[in-house]
Amino acid sequence: EIFEVTKKNELSKFEIEYPVFLESASKYVNTDYRVTKDLIPSLITPKKVDMIGKNGSFNLAHSIDFSTTPQTLNHHLDSYMYLALSSELAEDKHAKCFVIGEEPTKSSKNHEIWQSVRKLNTIDYVAFDERERIIEHFEQTGVSPILTR
């Protein structure tokens, strides 16, 4: 008989805790939502976000893996930033956009990108371990899920 050695893939802290976080946020926002031109007319192509809701203004939150390859990181950031900077959100002073992430290795190329994201005025960077702040914001400002079509 031949026995195959199976390698057990352990789940990361993010993979374990983030779905629980999304579930707790789901009373305030739509989760894993595909934003289209129907909702934000200035979009050219649909964008997927982890969370979106409204309190008269859009509130978005999305996780970004800052430890991935620089090309993948740039793609994910560009996609989310395109949505966050869309004219509908940019013109609304009460719209709120969050990026959830973790600091990458200081010696990596991505660390400089991470530092730049943290300094942006157009979005709020939230460390993964502080993600409950986002739900507190949703609760305190009356954010609720978008009515689905």
Side-chain angles (χ1 to χ4, degrees):
E1 291 183 35
I2 298 175
F3 293 93
E4 286 187 34
V5 177
T6 57
K7 185 177 178 181
K8 185 177 179 183
N9 291 333
E10 291 189 31
L11 295 176
S12 69
K13 180 179 177 182
F14 177 87
E15 291 169 316
I16 294 167
E17 295 178 11
Y18 200 65
V20 175
F21 171 68
L22 287 176
E23 179 64 32
S24 61
S26 68
K27 81 187 228 186
Y28 304 104
V29 293
N30 302 78
T31 58
D32 198 27
Y33 192 85
R34 187 171 179 259
V35 182
T36 65
K37 288 177 85 82
D38 293 340
L39 189 61
I40 305 211
S42 66
L43 287 182
I44 295 171
T45 59
K47 304 290 178 208
K48 194 155 208 166
V49 293
D50 293 342
M51 295 170 261
I52 187 170
K54 281 190 95 174
N55 58 358
S57 297
F58 285 105
N59 285 255
L60 304 154
H62 194 68
S63 65
I64 301 284
D65 181 358
F66 286 90
S67 66
T68 189
T69 67
Q71 295 82 6
T72 301
L73 174 58
N74 285 334
H75 171 73
H76 288 258
L77 273 174
D78 286 350
S79 180
Y80 182 65
M81 292 305 293
Y82 181 76
L83 174 59
L85 297 173
S86 67
S87 60
E88 290 82 359
L89 274 74
E91 292 171 6
D92 184 347
K93 302 296 182 215
H94 300 289
K96 199 81 162 154
C97 297
F98 298 94
V99 167
I100 304 163
E102 292 184 286
E103 181 177 7
T105 308
K106 285 185 175 34
S107 61
S108 72
K109 292 179 180 179
N110 293 353
H111 197 266
E112 188 176 320
I113 297 169
W114 173 81
Q115 286 181 315
S116 296
V117 168
R118 289 183 52 223
K119 293 176 186 174
L120 288 173
N121 292 329
T122 51
I123 60 154
D124 286 356
Y125 172 82
V126 177
F128 180 71
D129 289 340
E130 298 174 2
R131 63 194 175 277
E132 291 301 322
R133 273 191 324 132
I134 297 170
I135 292 179
E136 290 170 10
H137 166 79
F138 292 158
E139 186 175 41
Q140 292 171 356
T141 61
V143 175
S144 59
I146 293 170
L147 298 175
T148 55
R149 350 178 223 306

